[in-house]
Amino acid sequence: MTTPPPPPPQQPPQGPGPGTPEDQPQDQPGGSQDATPAQQPPGFGAPQTSPAPPAAPQTPPAPPSLTKAPQPGYGYPQAPQAPQASPEQPPAPGSPAPPPPQAQPPQAPPAGPPQAPPGYGYPQQAPPAQPPQGYGYPTPPQPQGPYAAPQQAGPYGQPSPYAAQPGYGYPGQPGQPGYGYPGQPTVPLQPQAVPGGGGRKVNAQLLIIVAAVVAIALIVGGGIWYSKSSSDDNEAKKDDKATAGTSSGTTGGQDDKGTGGTTGGGSEKAPGDPASKLLFQVPMPVVAKGDSVAVDGSWLTDKAYVKSGVAEVSGYDKNTGAKLWTVKLPGPVCEASRHMTKDYRTAVLFQPKMPAKNSSAGCSEVAALDLAAGKQLWRKTVSSGDYPVTFDNVTVSGNTVAAGSTDGGAAFDIASGKVLWSPKASDSCYDAGYGGGPKLVALRKCGSYDNPELHVQTIDPVSGKVLSEYKMTAGIEYASIVSTDPLVVAADVGDSAGDGSGISDFFSVDNKTGKLITRISAPGDQYAADCEGITRIEACTGLAVGAGRLYVPTEEHDGTGDYSRTNEVVAFDLATGKQTGQRADAGDGYTIVPLRMDGTDVIAYKRPPYDKGGQIVSIDGTTFKQTTLMQNPGTDSVRDLESNYLPQYSEIIYSDGRLYMAGVYADVSSTGDKEYLAIGFGTGS
């Protein structure tokens, strides 16, 4: 990527915004494993002094080719490539440190929050280094427990549900071991502490130093193309009025709304006047100066906008922002499910207490919340051996809450809290995490440290029975669940993306058979979506999947106007892996990011240039015609508020003429300007 030329003079100032980690210390608590959620990038937007006039523009780079033929599908012969060296096992404590691997470790954190331009045309500033983890943020897990040495394989979870269920590689065959029981003996995967921080793009707006991931061998070839079979399992479909954002940022993946709307195949209706107004601002929670506390999770019910605060979750009136209720928690919310049940029940992970500065208690608590009633349903912990499991991610599918970690996964009934399955010390593989929503998909890790094996399993949410399984090619260490129905998995194969996005390829998989349908090449220098994939399995941004297609934004490139930057949204066919040839242009000065599906249409947010307000548009899934659903005010004061919430690093929900934008960290502004946890926009009276 190239840095865009400087903008014209006399433009509005900018500065840091809400949700910005400032001084986030790490801790190393003894005797327990801490979760490793990715470090969150900061918010933006506090004003500073006016910039100086720009220098002469540089030669603009050529825009990415949108007509370039896609890479061959999985199974197509490829040119041989020299394999990369496998990483060494970490040294034993006290031994001399080995030479550094190919991937460089995370850089030292800065003293204060970085800044990013609220729109194209702003003066560019030198990108800051990534902030450290901080108050209320779990530290990486340490190797211990049942994965330090080979273990005798045993049933996963309680014996009764799995006694006669199929095992790995044998879905549907009677008499095979149950969920969590490997089909063949494997060397136990020994989890290693991984650096914090998720995959984040390096672009002209912001430089985020990403976690170091060990180099793995490139895939040379192999595999078969399969035709896609349709899915008729609609029982787990939900009637959510919105999809909740998580700490990963904007919501990607599928949406479960019906059809019949006026904008195409969706239910979102275009208003007579799309002009919006600022409805309310949620005050930033009070935290100590220098602290940064995680506040992951946003949801929308029929009556309330719900947002996590510091050790609490609160519901606000959708139109006025008046607080309706609050559920108090003993510690900060680490992770939140992006999915809800039909009756607005969801789940969160949180720490058992407010940690002291420079320490972390780990995210060992799971709670189910009734967002309609504004109450906590239950609170649980799970032990593996003699210590509590520290969870990394949580999701909801049907009436099941599923949480994953390097100790293995656990599942609970969302109404009663009954444990459906939990980690066992005898497991030689473990559930690193889950994808929820219409179906429940487990990402299970087996193999050795330098030769991991990832199994993508569609499982029954209640019994844990393996319904189908796709085994990814050996050497792929991390992956993300982009969508569960249709099933789409993202991975950075051989660290070839080169941009920290966590995506070089997408894998379209048949839910029923577990067979690979096609593999889609998505070079990091051409496409702007990203996934964390290390600990937070569903943390993907800038994506939408539905109606047999995958929608991805292109990287920014020069527009036609002076100092203008722009991009597009393109679509891939999940049956063939090829681009459909259609695109939705953002327009000069705007960048467009898919938020979610709306039937067969795509709901997208357009981040505006410095002198205009943002937009919500609906992209027709057939014609790619764009319909403006919302146009935000372009006044300086409102524009400054909106610019605080970068789509990649914020929680953005749009539904029925209402737009909510929120940060994922609570902290104190370094400039002293007033900041807000969340803001709401609305059309109509």
Side-chain angles (χ1 to χ4, degrees):
M1 290 180 53
T2 60
T3 301
Q10 304 303 323
Q11 297 183 0
Q14 59 179 338
T20 308
E22 296 191 13
D23 297 312
Q24 297 183 349
Q26 297 180 347
D27 85 333
Q28 299 292 336
S32 66
Q33 270 188 323
D34 288 345
T36 326
Q39 294 175 352
Q40 297 303 316
F44 307 89
Q48 296 180 348
T49 57
S50 299
Q58 301 174 355
T59 303
S65 173
L66 298 177
T67 58
K68 179 181 176 181
Q71 298 296 322
Y74 193 58
Y76 196 95
Q78 303 179 19
Q81 304 180 36
Q84 301 176 357
S86 298
E88 296 290 335
Q89 287 280 2
S95 61
Q102 293 178 349
Q104 296 300 316
Q107 301 298 315
Q115 304 170 2
Y120 301 108
Y122 259 69
Q124 298 295 319
Q125 301 183 17
Q130 184 181 3
Q133 294 179 342
Y135 176 64
Y137 206 90
T139 55
Q142 302 299 320
Q144 59 172 313
Y147 300 101
Q151 301 289 339
Q152 178 66 33
Y156 189 82
Q158 299 177 355
S160 56
Y162 319 119
Q165 304 303 337
Y168 289 112
Y170 306 97
Q173 297 181 9
Q176 296 297 332
Y179 178 59
Y181 200 106
Q184 298 179 2
T186 59
V187 178
L189 181 64
Q190 301 178 21
Q192 306 294 325
V194 295
R200 290 291 178 255
K201 293 274 181 183
V202 177
N203 55 36
Q205 295 176 328
L206 181 67
L207 180 62
I208 298 296
I209 306 301
V210 297
V213 180
V214 294
I216 56 178
L218 291 170
I219 293 179
V220 177
I224 303 174
W225 283 44
Y226 293 91
S227 61
K228 185 180 187 299
S229 67
S230 62
S231 172
D232 58 1
D233 181 9
N234 294 319
E235 282 195 20
K237 291 283 186 180
K238 301 185 304 301
D239 192 27
D240 301 22
K241 279 297 180 183
T243 307
T246 66
S247 58
S248 65
T250 52
T251 300
Q254 71 278 357
D255 177 77
D256 305 306
K257 289 190 174 185
T259 59
T262 60
T263 62
S267 61
E268 295 289 353
K269 297 180 180 180
D273 181 4
S276 69
K277 62 181 179 181
L278 183 66
L279 297 178
F280 62 82
Q281 299 144 275
V282 178
M284 180 68 71
V286 177
V287 297
K289 187 175 182 180
D291 287 343
S292 186
V293 183
V295 288
D296 289 315
S298 296
W299 305 267
L300 192 61
T301 74
D302 57 343
K303 297 179 180 179
Y305 168 66
V306 184
K307 177 71 185 111
S308 294
V310 174
E312 66 180 27
V313 177
S314 298
Y316 303 88
D317 184 276
K318 292 169 62 173
N319 298 313
T320 67
K323 185 177 288 190
L324 303 176
W325 51 262
T326 296
V327 173
K328 293 290 185 180
L329 299 170
V333 176
C334 310
E335 293 292 332
S337 171
R338 59 189 286 180
H339 305 287
M340 298 181 290
T341 64
K342 292 181 180 180
D343 53 355
Y344 305 116
R345 297 183 179 189
T346 192
V348 295
L349 299 178
F350 58 94
Q351 297 183 48
K353 61 182 179 180
M354 290 299 295
K357 195 167 185 177
N358 301 323
S359 69
S360 172
C363 299
S364 58
E365 304 284 326
V366 185
L369 305 177
D370 184 334
L371 303 183
K375 66 179 182 180
Q376 177 180 300
L377 298 174
W378 49 260
R379 169 185 170 185
K380 297 282 185 178
T381 59
V382 172
S383 296
S384 179
D386 297 329
Y387 60 94
V389 173
T390 296
F391 291 108
D392 299 325
N393 53 79
V394 66
T395 195
V396 171
S397 180
N399 290 313
T400 296
V401 175
S405 75
T406 54
D407 287 319
F412 313 84
D413 179 81
I414 199 167
S416 66
K418 176 185 176 182
V419 178
L420 303 177
W421 66 78
S422 61
K424 296 296 180 183
S426 58
D427 286 343
S428 58
C429 302
Y430 66 90
D431 287 3
Y434 302 91
K439 295 184 182 295
L440 184 60
V441 175
L443 187 63
R444 191 161 176 82
K445 279 198 172 186
C446 300
S448 61
Y449 172 76
D450 57 355
N451 189 31
E453 295 177 358
L454 296 183
H455 302 255
V456 181
Q457 301 176 325
T458 299
I459 61 178
D460 182 91
V462 178
S463 68
K465 174 184 176 181
V466 179
L467 304 177
S468 67
E469 179 182 68
Y470 168 62
K471 182 179 177 182
M472 302 192 76
T473 303
I476 299 179
E477 188 172 4
Y478 300 107
S480 298
I481 307 298
V482 178
S483 167
T484 61
D485 188 19
L487 179 52
V488 178
V489 180
D492 185 358
V493 181
D495 293 334
S496 57
D499 59 355
S501 67
I503 304 172
S504 67
D505 297 84
F506 295 98
F507 300 82
S508 175
V509 180
D510 191 309
N511 271 110
K512 289 187 175 180
T513 65
K515 293 180 179 179
L516 180 69
I517 299 170
T518 189
R519 175 177 165 184
I520 301 170
S521 176
D525 60 349
Q526 296 182 31
Y527 302 102
D530 61 54
C531 295
E532 195 260 18
I534 297 176
T535 59
R536 299 159 58 236
I537 305 306
E538 283 189 299
C540 294
T541 64
L543 299 168
V545 178
R549 291 181 174 183
L550 165 67
Y551 295 89
V552 186
T554 66
E555 288 283 8
E556 300 168 17
H557 57 81
D558 286 345
T560 59
D562 292 340
Y563 312 112
S564 173
R565 300 285 288 174
T566 189
N567 76 329
E568 300 79 25
V569 169
V570 298
F572 291 91
D573 189 300
L574 291 177
T576 66
K578 297 180 179 180
Q579 283 193 32
T580 64
Q582 300 164 298
R583 70 179 188 181
D585 295 310
D588 274 342
Y590 291 87
T591 53
I592 187 169
V593 180
L595 297 180
R596 61 173 175 87
M597 296 298 297
D598 176 33
T600 58
D601 297 343
V602 180
I603 303 299
Y605 173 71
K606 285 187 176 182
R607 188 162 186 265
Y610 73 92
D611 57 350
K612 296 180 181 179
Q615 296 179 348
I616 294 291
V617 298
S618 176
I619 304 171
D620 188 284
T622 302
T623 65
F624 262 55
K625 177 184 177 181
Q626 297 182 45
T627 300
T628 301
L629 303 179
M630 176 176 285
Q631 172 64 64
N632 289 341
T635 60
D636 289 348
S637 59
V638 177
R639 198 173 60 238
D640 287 346
L641 283 174
E642 182 178 1
S643 66
N644 290 337
Y645 305 96
L646 284 176
Q648 297 91 333
Y649 313 121
S650 303
E651 297 170 352
I652 301 180
I653 301 175
Y654 175 83
S655 180
D656 298 330
R658 297 292 182 265
L659 171 65
Y660 305 94
M661 310 178 78
V664 295
Y665 276 94
D667 53 20
V668 178
S669 169
S670 60
T671 64
D673 295 311
K674 190 172 182 61
E675 295 180 341
Y676 297 94
L677 178 64
I679 58 176
F681 293 93
T683 57
S685 57

